Amino acid sequence: LRLVESGGGLVQAGASLRLSCAASGRTFSNYHMGWSRQPPGKEREFVAAVVWSTGATYYAPSMKGRFTISRDFAKNTVHLQMNTLKPNDTAIYYCTAGPKYLGVSGGNYWGQGTPVTVSG
């Protein structure tokens, strides 16, 4: 399974960004697909995930409210809408996928990451 992220960039605090993750290469209908992030000098942390087959979503408690994950069946793509961004949202954001719950460990598959920098 190949995961390719896009949509990162440099924004000011309070802005919004939408990240995308395009999946290809194998069947993933029963997979959980989601996002993790790694801030500079810190450990990786889970952000959000969606169960591809049902559309059920789950979030890290601290990400609820400002971040929304969604899927696009037609494009085999998962999106992460991030609103009211803060400087501490600065991180490399990684798309990840696997056959079970995605927590801090993520899934079996990872994208290359897309950087998000929020200036304050």
Side-chain angles (χ1 to χ4, degrees), residues 8 10 17 20 31 47 55-56 59 63 65 72 79-80 94 114 116:
L10 172 63
L17 273 178
S20 299
Y31 272 31
V47 176
Y59 298 84
M63 310 297 174
D72 183 335
H79 299 291
L80 183 69
Y94 295 93
T114 186
V116 172

Side-chain angles (χ1 to χ4, degrees), residues 30-55:
N30 294 322
Y31 272 31
H32 296 224
M33 298 185 69
W35 296 88
S36 292
R37 70 184 189 182
Q38 186 162 20
K42 296 184 179 180
E43 296 293 316
R44 186 175 63 203
E45 56 186 1
F46 171 70
V47 176
V50 59
V51 181
W52 188 261
S53 59
T54 66

Side-chain angles (χ1 to χ4, degrees), residues 41-97:
K42 296 184 179 180
E43 296 293 316
R44 186 175 63 203
E45 56 186 1
F46 171 70
V47 176
V50 59
V51 181
W52 188 261
S53 59
T54 66
T57 59
Y58 50 98
Y59 298 84
S62 62
M63 310 297 174
K64 278 187 175 181
R66 295 190 299 122
F67 291 8
T68 302
I69 191 168
S70 62
R71 74 200 198 295
D72 183 335
F73 268 126
K75 297 182 179 179
N76 287 341
T77 298
V78 174
H79 299 291
L80 183 69
Q81 178 68 40
M82 306 186 294
N83 297 327
T84 319
L85 284 162
K86 304 174 181 179
N88 62 6
D89 292 317
T90 295
I92 305 294
Y93 284 72
Y94 295 93
C95 183
T96 182

